[in-house]
Amino acid sequence: MIPHSHHPPLHADEFRRQGRLVVDFIADYYDRIDEYPVRPAVLPGFLTRQLPETAPPQPEHDALAAALRDVRDLILPGLTHWQSPRHFAHFAATASNVGALGEALAAGLNINPFTWAASPAATELEVVVTDWFGKALHLPENLLFSGGGGGTLLGTSCEAMLCTIVAARDRKLAEIGEERIGDLVVYCSDQTHFSFQKAARIAGIRKVNCRAIPTSWESNFTLSPKALLAAVRADVAAGRVPLFLCATVGTTPTAAVDPVRELCAALSGAGHDDVWVHVDAAYAGAASVCPEFRDAIIEGVEAADSFSTNPHKWLMANMDCCALWVTRPHALTEALGTDHDVILKEDHHHQHGDGAAAVVDYKDWQVALSRRFRALKLWLVLRCHGVDGLRAFVRSHVRMAKAFEDMMRADARFEVPVPRQFALVCFRLRPPPALVLLRRNRKLLEAVNATGRAYMSCAVVGGVYVLRCAIGNSLTEDHHIQEAWRVVQEQATAVLAAAGRRADEGTVVGNARCVEMDEEARAPFLVGKEREVTIP
Amino acid sequence: MIPHSHHPPLHADEFRRQGRLVVDFIADYYDRIDEYPVRPAVLPGFLTRQLPETAPPQPEHDALAAALRDVRDLILPGLTHWQSPRHFAHFAATASNVGALGEALAAGLNINPFTWAASPAATELEVVVTDWFGKALHLPENLLFSGGGGGTLLGTSCEAMLCTIVAARDRKLAEIGEERIGDLVVYCSDQTHFSFQKAARIAGIRKVNCRAIPTSWESNFTLSPKALLAAVRADVAAGRVPLFLCATVGTTPTAAVDPVRELCAALSGAGHDDVWVHVDAAYAGAASVCPEFRDAIIEGVEAADSFSTNPHKWLMANMDCCALWVTRPHALTEALGTDHDVILKEDHHHQHGDGAAAVVDYKDWQVALSRRFRALKLWLVLRCHGVDGLRAFVRSHVRMAKAFEDMMRADARFEVPVPRQFALVCFRLRPPPALVLLRRNRKLLEAVNATGRAYMSCAVVGGVYVLRCAIGNSLTEDHHIQEAWRVVQEQATAVLAAAGRRADEGTVVGNARCVEMDEEARAPFLVGKEREVTIP
């Protein structure tokens, strides 16, 4: 074995040797991943205590091999295994061979394509691949470069939200004056991901001007156009300025789909078409590759100003990759563009002269200057799977989710209180007619996750605590779903038995028809308040 | 060869095969990189025209191999080769074997460590490695977790600036009221990277409240504490509220180092210690691993509120990786933290109970929720090179820059108008005593870059156009520097000869003692204005 120190830091032959070590390490991990508990049973400080307090002054002999042994022995046992076929807790961060290798290849080339001139092929590939991807999702033409709009690849949906809010904000402030920033109002529902309000706050929107409009069982927790319009009108009446609506296609708690067409029509009909409408389809956007889901997802999107989805979530593109399309790139570049950097301008000028053809400089579409070559990864995924491959992938997870739901509906102890959407099943132990023990669904989740054989999460919708089983990992197969269901059944039996014992011991709650834990979205913790909840 | 379609998207054995293809592809690229022109001679649309308009419905046979052939034949010829040993244009995006493979490994594990619970080992490794790295840079204890502060790994310096501005902003607005956002003022110099003003604008700071304080030849283009204080006082007198100072250690145009100690002392002495001082050491921070550069870089940093540097720039950590340290993590998490997400809170609660030990949830230190496992890469770089290895790396580039400078100073046609700092040499053709032709340094840059044998950039400082030669790539060796110098000499001879011919043709400028192109930092383009410039 050649010790590392004989080689310079970047060395082709040594890269071949070290690259094989890392490739085999990753392959071994995929081979063995099902043997790890999905969520590790570790306590804070477990790793910190095992590592030295300073970096080594000198590398060890064959330091990469030694480090990989530490990754295997110290780090892997402390990871939550997002690629485990038993990870159902969060919307997946789906991996694929080509997604992982696309990242590796981009890291190997290690370019920084912040302008067209800084790496022309990378910029052009991003232009091409965002159009390819948009067409595969059946997006309306006005969001594609081929139709006057255009797309970019960012890291996350939060960035997409921040960039579009800032674009909308600066366009509006140019009209009404910078000093009125405190009057701008943004809208979402109480189901919208918290990132939206965070992004609005970062952009300087006042906390009190972020409207999270309540949703209800009646609309399956989708945003009501009528409620939106009422909020907008109240703000206008109070002298405030409606700025931005974030509609969600596939909310985090239940994958609910806000009615984009009706929301846009409501705003437009009331003379508010200058409100920027962003459609956040971080999770569910992927399903729009399938004709059978397309209408549910992109209906009405042609009236929106921007649309984003994360191929790193459900389309095998590995972390991180968020595709954002806008109908008016100029609104983005007006707000986020910079043209006073001599170094970059000269680069551009040298290649094109003063009357240069318009090229895309993606630094002006995002927060940061520097950026990775994400287009390479997404292009590889599309090339190597084809649109049909993406469809088959999405359908396999939806089919498994349907199977999970069917098994659950066949067990009278459980109910599915909100409709399954895509590959997300929300469920809970059905409340008995007379008495119910507090927090038993929470105990069920805790018990399921403690097995290490399945990892699920929860949400509270309409005051009801539900467990979430989100199916979407590449390694998940039918037998994992069946086993997950067995784990849920076994743990439910144990939780109900323990609850029965406590009932005998007199710790039940009086004569409530249905008592469940209640949780306001902003309550400090999931403890305390309980109240009667009736599902309509 | 097994066609891809026989395998599911994530498949260990197929990953071994495909991984070798990609590893060999990258190694072959490093082997051949010196044969490519550093900057490609392509025109806009060159790649777009060669690719189909939609993604394929079905993958080809052995699609990854086919795609890699297209990367080689279509994409590589259109890249600007940032890893070329002849790339001297921008501060490097340094690659190393372990940096690239660290990215690959993180992409393979593909976790999303947004909270401690979402992947405990990843969060703990980030806590450990930011302390390791901070100690290697000799950072003051108050920026490290071990001293009550703490670090995180973001993508870019722009994110570090945005997050700290928002933290400072919200702390100040909590004191004076949200409605006074329009009164907040941020400070930098006219040499500060444009990202800072962009970040301030994103955070809702008014354009007119971004002060870019002029610098001068006298101070080598560093920010004058006196000028800063005068600006702060004028703002206070006008009823505005000084919020934030961005001091730069290693500016983009000339790698100038703002006097952090004196700037902090000036603010503090005038009763403005509540102004948040951020030190942006994106490029030069790396050099602080060397004791001989340490004082120049981190002197006075103990009085700052935050410090950031990009190990992806000069420390072999591949794109992207920015380390940000703050003295008061609480200020960041107050502004960027979210605690009303039931799904994440429950995860936390299950593992720790209500009285949980405090853990770091890095989602509250950044803009986005999702994040990659960057700590793994930086840890591998530190493990596999050791601090001594980093020192040797930095010193090799500084030594080469010194050699380049020495060769230049020995040729009377050239001058080095600002001191070489670290591994950046700024130079220009020396103006002759009587006449000078317009824009000949610009023509020189254009001619050098058109050779494809060296790629440099430019800056305009104090009205003077200089060429920038930034040395910092892993593959750059002494002979590349010698060749770069020969390229500059050859092209200078050609440019001067052409200028001589034009002089004979009567296109020279009258009797100016020294005419050079002038460029105000915000002028729309590097054309038009010329004026007399005398370098003091």
Side-chain angles (χ1 to χ4, degrees):
Chain A
M1 196 79 83
I2 305 162
H4 166 272
S5 53
H6 291 189
H7 295 289
L10 192 69
H11 185 277
D13 288 340
E14 179 69 351
F15 189 85
R16 281 179 224 276
R17 185 186 74 84
Q18 293 183 320
R20 277 165 174 65
L21 290 183
V22 169
V23 165
D24 285 342
F25 186 93
I26 296 169
D28 289 346
Y29 174 67
Y30 294 154
D31 262 340
R32 285 199 322 263
I33 195 169
D34 205 9
E35 296 164 19
Y36 291 99
V38 195
R39 200 189 62 176
V42 295
L43 292 172
F46 77 99
L47 181 64
T48 315
R49 277 192 295 274
Q50 299 182 76
L51 297 174
E53 288 186 3
T54 54
Q58 297 281 343
E60 300 133 284
H61 176 77
D62 202 9
L64 182 65
L68 289 175
R69 283 192 296 275
D70 279 354
V71 175
R72 185 191 62 201
D73 298 338
L74 302 180
I75 294 176
L76 292 188
L79 293 185
T80 299
H81 299 280
W82 284 68
Q83 298 321 308
S84 166
R86 303 162 192 280
H87 188 299
F88 310 110
H90 311 294
F91 290 137
T94 327
S96 64
N97 286 7
V98 287
L101 293 171
E103 275 291 326
L105 184 54
L109 302 179
N110 206 41
I111 56 165
N112 187 356
F114 44 62
T115 55
W116 183 89
S119 232
T123 294
E124 298 209 7
L125 193 65
E126 190 160 330
V127 167
V128 168
V129 85
T130 50
D131 262 21
W132 276 19
F133 186 40
K135 288 171 187 171
L137 297 181
H138 306 97
L139 288 187
E141 188 70 14
N142 64 348
L143 286 166
L144 309 180
F145 283 107
S146 56
T152 186
L153 300 176
L154 307 173
T156 70
S157 296
C158 315
E159 286 173 60
M161 289 170 178
L162 178 58
C163 291
T164 49
I165 293 170
V166 170
R169 182 199 70 185
D170 282 6
R171 194 181 55 164
K172 181 55 79 179
L173 291 181
E175 186 189 318
I176 63 175
E178 270 194 306
E179 69 285 358
R180 292 198 62 195
I181 188 172
D183 293 333
L184 300 177
V185 187
V186 300
Y187 304 86
C188 63
S189 87
D190 59 4
Q191 303 295 302
T192 307
H193 195 268
F194 69 79
S195 299
F196 175 65
Q197 292 196 51
K198 177 168 168 176
R201 290 285 307 136
I202 290 172
I205 306 300
R206 297 178 67 165
K207 210 172 292 182
V208 293
N209 285 357
C210 297
R211 308 258 168 279
I213 297 166
T215 57
S216 67
W217 291 99
E218 286 71 25
S219 65
N220 279 325
F221 303 100
T222 63
L223 178 56
S224 145
K226 205 173 131 190
L228 169 69
L229 212 51
V232 166
R233 286 183 166 140
D235 283 319
V236 171
R240 290 181 291 262
V241 179
L243 178 70
F244 195 99
L245 165 67
C246 180
T248 307
V249 169
T251 60
T252 306
T254 64
V257 176
D258 288 338
V260 176
R261 183 188 299 286
E262 290 73 20
L263 291 166
C264 291
L267 287 172
S268 176
H272 296 296
D273 17 23
D274 59 340
V275 171
W276 184 299
V277 179
H278 176 70
V279 178
D280 170 24
Y283 160 66
S288 192
V289 290
C290 303
E292 67 270 31
F293 298 122
R294 179 183 56 190
D295 289 350
I297 293 167
I298 59 151
E299 202 187 49
V301 166
E302 65 280 359
D305 297 275
S306 49
F307 181 96
S308 62
T309 187
N310 292 2
H312 76 222
K313 274 200 165 63
W314 198 5
L315 284 182
M316 306 187 266
N318 287 61
M319 293 277 298
D320 50 6
C321 191
C322 168
L324 165 69
W325 294 268
V326 293
T327 56
R328 282 163 300 180
H330 190 67
L332 267 190
T333 58
E334 273 291 295
L336 300 169
T338 51
D339 65 354
H340 55 273
D341 188 83
V342 174
I343 297 171
L344 304 186
K345 273 192 312 194
E346 278 288 272
D347 232 15
H348 182 90
H349 178 79
H350 281 175
Q351 299 201 337
H352 309 300
D354 290 333
V359 292
V360 174
D361 285 336
Y362 275 124
K363 74 176 175 63
D364 298 336
W365 293 52
Q366 63 177 25
V367 171
L369 170 63
S370 292
R371 59 205 318 274
R372 290 178 300 123
F373 189 5
R374 291 192 184 94
L376 187 59
K377 172 175 65 175
L378 186 56
W379 178 73
L380 284 177
V381 169
L382 291 168
R383 276 280 299 254
C384 296
H385 291 282
V387 179
D388 288 353
L390 304 185
R391 286 179 184 150
F393 189 72
V394 164
R395 284 170 182 154
S396 74
H397 294 130
V398 174
R399 182 181 51 70
M400 286 189 267
K402 175 82 169 56
F404 186 81
E405 180 192 14
D406 289 344
M407 291 187 287
M408 180 139 293
R409 287 192 188 277
D411 184 331
R413 296 176 299 173
F414 291 91
E415 66 179 3
V416 179
V418 288
R420 173 184 57 78
Q421 294 272 30
F422 311 110
L424 174 66
V425 183
C426 294
F427 64 95
R428 66 167 187 169
L429 284 166
R430 190 186 294 275
L435 297 176
V436 68
L437 292 160
L438 300 177
R439 298 188 212 151
R440 58 189 190 155
N441 277 297
R442 193 182 187 196
K443 286 188 209 306
L444 173 61
L445 177 61
E446 205 161 332
V448 165
N449 290 347
T451 66
R453 289 156 61 208
Y455 181 30
M456 300 186 183
S457 65
C458 68
V460 176
V461 281
V464 166
Y465 184 102
V466 294
L467 284 78
R468 290 170 80 254
C469 177
I471 294 163
N473 274 308
S474 296
L475 296 172
T476 303
E477 298 176 26
D478 293 295
H479 70 91
H480 296 109
I481 302 301
Q482 286 150 16
E483 190 187 334
W485 170 236
R486 279 197 303 276
V487 168
V488 170
Q489 283 187 305
E490 286 164 17
Q491 299 307 317
T493 300
V495 165
L496 291 173
R501 283 195 301 278
R502 281 202 304 279
D504 292 340
E505 291 157 14
T507 58
V508 297
V509 173
N511 55 359
R513 196 170 52 78
C514 165
V515 179
E516 270 289 347
M517 190 183 52
D518 174 45
E519 162 70 1
E520 304 294 329
R522 271 167 209 73
F525 221 89
L526 272 181
V527 289
K529 295 197 293 176
E530 288 100 18
R531 65 173 173 88
E532 285 197 31
V533 171
T534 308
I535 301 178
Chain B
M1 194 82 80
I2 305 161
H4 166 272
S5 53
H6 291 187
H7 294 288
L10 192 67
H11 185 276
D13 288 340
E14 179 69 352
F15 188 85
R16 280 180 225 276
R17 185 186 75 85
Q18 294 184 320
R20 277 165 173 65
L21 291 184
V22 170
V23 164
D24 285 342
F25 186 92
I26 297 169
D28 289 346
Y29 174 67
Y30 294 154
D31 261 340
R32 286 199 321 262
I33 194 168
D34 205 8
E35 297 165 19
Y36 291 99
V38 194
R39 200 189 62 177
V42 295
L43 291 172
F46 77 98
L47 181 63
T48 315
R49 277 192 295 275
Q50 298 182 76
L51 297 175
E53 288 185 3
T54 54
Q58 297 281 343
E60 301 133 282
H61 177 77
D62 203 8
L64 182 64
L68 289 176
R69 282 193 295 274
D70 280 354
V71 175
R72 186 192 62 201
D73 299 338
L74 303 180
I75 295 176
L76 292 187
L79 292 186
T80 300
H81 299 280
W82 284 69
Q83 298 320 307
S84 166
R86 304 162 191 279
H87 188 298
F88 309 110
H90 310 295
F91 290 137
T94 327
S96 64
N97 286 6
V98 287
L101 293 170
E103 275 291 327
L105 184 55
L109 302 178
N110 206 41
I111 57 165
N112 187 356
F114 46 61
T115 54
W116 184 90
S119 231
T123 294
E124 298 209 7
L125 192 65
E126 189 160 332
V127 167
V128 168
V129 85
T130 50
D131 261 22
W132 276 20
F133 186 40
K135 288 172 187 170
L137 296 181
H138 305 97
L139 287 189
E141 187 71 14
N142 65 348
L143 285 166
L144 308 181
F145 283 106
S146 56
T152 186
L153 300 176
L154 306 173
T156 70
S157 296
C158 316
E159 286 173 61
M161 289 170 176
L162 178 57
C163 291
T164 49
I165 292 170
V166 170
R169 181 198 70 185
D170 282 5
R171 195 181 54 163
K172 182 55 79 178
L173 291 180
E175 188 190 318
I176 63 175
E178 268 193 307
E179 68 286 358
R180 292 198 61 196
I181 188 171
D183 292 333
L184 301 177
V185 186
V186 300
Y187 304 86
C188 62
S189 88
D190 60 5
Q191 302 295 304
T192 306
H193 195 268
F194 68 78
S195 299
F196 175 66
Q197 293 196 50
K198 176 167 167 176
R201 289 286 307 136
I202 290 172
I205 306 300
R206 294 178 68 165
K207 210 171 291 182
V208 292
N209 285 358
C210 297
R211 307 260 168 278
I213 297 166
T215 58
S216 68
W217 291 97
E218 287 70 25
S219 65
N220 280 326
F221 303 102
T222 63
L223 178 56
S224 146
K226 207 173 130 190
L228 169 69
L229 212 51
V232 166
R233 286 183 166 140
D235 284 319
V236 171
R240 291 181 290 262
V241 180
L243 177 70
F244 196 99
L245 165 67
C246 180
T248 307
V249 169
T251 61
T252 305
T254 64
V257 176
D258 288 339
V260 175
R261 183 188 299 285
E262 290 73 20
L263 291 166
C264 291
L267 288 172
S268 176
H272 296 296
D273 17 23
D274 58 340
V275 171
W276 184 298
V277 179
H278 176 71
V279 178
D280 170 25
Y283 160 65
S288 193
V289 290
C290 302
E292 67 270 31
F293 298 123
R294 179 184 56 189
D295 288 351
I297 293 167
I298 59 151
E299 202 187 49
V301 167
E302 64 281 359
D305 297 276
S306 49
F307 181 96
S308 62
T309 188
N310 291 1
H312 76 222
K313 274 201 163 63
W314 199 4
L315 284 182
M316 305 187 266
N318 288 60
M319 294 277 298
D320 51 7
C321 190
C322 169
L324 165 69
W325 294 268
V326 293
T327 57
R328 283 164 298 181
H330 190 65
L332 266 189
T333 58
E334 272 291 295
L336 300 169
T338 51
D339 65 355
H340 54 273
D341 188 82
V342 174
I343 297 171
L344 304 186
K345 274 192 310 193
E346 279 288 272
D347 231 16
H348 183 90
H349 177 80
H350 281 175
Q351 299 201 337
H352 308 303
D354 289 333
V359 292
V360 174
D361 285 336
Y362 274 123
K363 75 176 174 61
D364 297 337
W365 293 52
Q366 63 177 26
V367 172
L369 170 63
S370 294
R371 60 205 319 272
R372 290 178 300 122
F373 188 6
R374 292 191 184 94
L376 186 59
K377 171 175 64 174
L378 187 56
W379 178 75
L380 284 177
V381 168
L382 291 169
R383 277 278 301 252
C384 294
H385 291 282
V387 179
D388 288 353
L390 305 185
R391 286 179 184 150
F393 189 71
V394 165
R395 284 170 182 153
S396 73
H397 294 129
V398 174
R399 183 180 50 70
M400 286 189 267
K402 176 83 170 55
F404 186 81
E405 181 192 14
D406 289 345
M407 292 186 288
M408 180 140 293
R409 288 192 188 276
D411 184 331
R413 297 175 298 173
F414 291 91
E415 67 178 3
V416 179
V418 288
R420 173 185 57 78
Q421 294 272 30
F422 312 109
L424 173 67
V425 183
C426 294
F427 64 95
R428 66 168 186 168
L429 284 166
R430 191 186 294 275
L435 296 177
V436 68
L437 292 160
L438 299 177
R439 296 188 213 151
R440 59 190 188 153
N441 277 297
R442 192 181 187 196
K443 287 189 209 306
L444 173 61
L445 177 61
E446 204 162 331
V448 166
N449 290 347
T451 65
R453 289 158 61 211
Y455 180 30
M456 300 186 183
S457 64
C458 67
V460 176
V461 282
V464 167
Y465 184 101
V466 295
L467 284 78
R468 290 171 79 254
C469 177
I471 294 163
N473 274 309
S474 296
L475 296 172
T476 304
E477 298 176 27
D478 293 296
H479 69 91
H480 296 110
I481 301 300
Q482 286 151 17
E483 191 187 334
W485 169 236
R486 279 197 304 276
V487 169
V488 170
Q489 283 187 305
E490 287 164 16
Q491 299 306 317
T493 300
V495 165
L496 291 173
R501 283 194 301 276
R502 281 201 304 279
D504 293 340
E505 291 158 13
T507 58
V508 298
V509 173
N511 56 358
R513 195 169 52 79
C514 165
V515 179
E516 270 290 346
M517 189 184 51
D518 175 43
E519 162 70 1
E520 304 295 329
R522 272 168 209 73
F525 220 88
L526 274 181
V527 290
K529 295 196 293 177
E530 287 102 17
R531 67 174 170 88
E532 286 196 31
V533 171
T534 309
I535 301 176

